[in-house]
């Protein structure tokens, strides 16, 4: 099988994430895309707790058979290092072809990640285009993935919620209901 591991904090997951995952699945011929929710990312601090972010990813991915929410990083103690996640994925999916998918903005700093230079040995690295982050000049070999620009970001969604603005059509409806019910980011 060809498995994509879509890494991110998903704080919260939104339609841009789902579009990127769908485009990656189509462009790379992926059988599955695992949304790997970073429990404790070493380079940033998510606002919502890990379990809430995981629950939102479960809701967002429920209707797409190729998408699965993953607990690879949530059930492991300590910081969420990509190298550890990919090593664990290698053990869980022996013989499968792995692709690690994340935003081009994150790959700019990949050499500062724990054992960042080893990542291409463990999976094909896929960089999703993000506004303001060109796909050229990456510090490691990556497969560039250009996706439709939707202009949605988790940062903007959190800002809108803080200000009492609607996020309808920014996130899947079940995620919107979850955000309202739990009062996240207010």
């Amino acid at each position: 099988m060809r498995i994509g591991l879509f890494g991110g904090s998903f704080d919260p997951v939104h339609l841009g994430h789902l579009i990127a995952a769908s485009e990656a699945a189509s462009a790379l011929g992926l059988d599955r895309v695992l949304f790997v929710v970073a429990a404790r990312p070493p380079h940033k601090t998510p606002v919502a707790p890990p379990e809430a972010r995981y629950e939102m990813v479960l809701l967002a991915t429920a209707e797409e058979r190729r998408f699965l929410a993953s607990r690879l990083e949530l059930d492991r103690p300590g910081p969420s290092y990509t190298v550890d996640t990919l090593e664990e994925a290698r053990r869980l999916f022996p013989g499968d072809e792995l692709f690690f998918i994340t935003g081009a903005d994150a790959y700019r700093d990949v050499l500062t990640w724990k054992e960042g230079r080893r990542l291409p040995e463990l999976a094909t690295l896929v960089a999703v285009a993000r506004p303001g982050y060109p796909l050229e000049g990456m510090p490691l070999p990556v497969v560039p993935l250009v996706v439709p620009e939707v202009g949605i970001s988790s940062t903007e969604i959190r800002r809108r919620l803080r200000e009492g603005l609607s996020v309808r059509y920014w996130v899947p409806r079940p995620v919107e209901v979850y955000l309202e019910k739990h009062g996240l980011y207010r």
Side-chain angles (χ1 to χ4, degrees):
M1 288 193 28
R2 294 167 65 89
I3 300 173
L5 298 136
F6 188 5
S9 57
F10 303 113
D11 193 24
V13 63
H14 55 71
L15 294 178
H17 293 128
L18 298 173
I19 290 168
S22 179
E23 292 293 309
S26 296
L28 303 168
L30 302 178
D31 299 295
R32 294 277 182 272
V33 177
L34 306 182
F35 283 66
V36 180
V37 179
R40 290 161 294 284
H43 290 92
K44 66 166 134 177
T45 304
V47 176
E51 287 299 327
R53 293 181 286 113
Y54 175 73
E55 289 172 10
M56 287 186 282
V57 168
L58 273 174
L59 293 168
T61 59
E63 293 183 8
E64 171 57 59
R65 65 169 184 76
R66 295 176 300 178
F67 296 172
L68 297 168
S70 170
R71 297 190 61 87
L72 271 174
E73 293 186 356
L74 295 174
D75 295 336
R76 190 175 64 233
S80 301
Y81 293 120
T82 300
V83 68
D84 297 338
T85 300
L86 293 179
E87 285 175 342
E88 186 174 350
R90 278 262 150 253
R91 286 189 294 278
L92 291 171
F93 308 110
D96 289 337
E97 193 172 354
L98 301 181
F99 298 80
F100 184 73
I101 306 160
T102 197
D105 54 328
Y107 276 128
R108 293 282 164 203
D109 299 324
V110 72
L111 296 181
T112 67
W113 297 4
K114 178 184 174 188
E115 299 182 53
R117 290 192 187 281
R118 284 196 52 228
L119 299 181
E121 300 167 18
L122 300 168
T124 299
L125 305 182
V126 180
V128 178
R130 301 263 326 248
Y133 296 93
L135 292 169
E136 301 81 32
M138 291 286 170
L140 290 176
V142 298
V143 173
L145 182 64
V146 177
V147 299
E149 286 189 31
V150 291
I152 296 174
S153 73
S154 295
T155 302
E156 181 63 16
I157 291 169
R158 292 191 305 269
R159 182 196 66 78
R160 291 179 66 82
L161 289 168
R162 263 192 323 274
E163 294 178 6
L165 300 172
S166 171
V167 293
R168 168 108 5 128
Y169 310 118
W170 292 59
V171 298
R173 181 69 179 140
V175 173
E176 181 184 7
V177 170
Y178 184 95
L179 290 166
E180 289 170 4
K181 179 179 178 181
H182 295 281
L184 288 175
Y185 310 114
R186 304 239 180 234

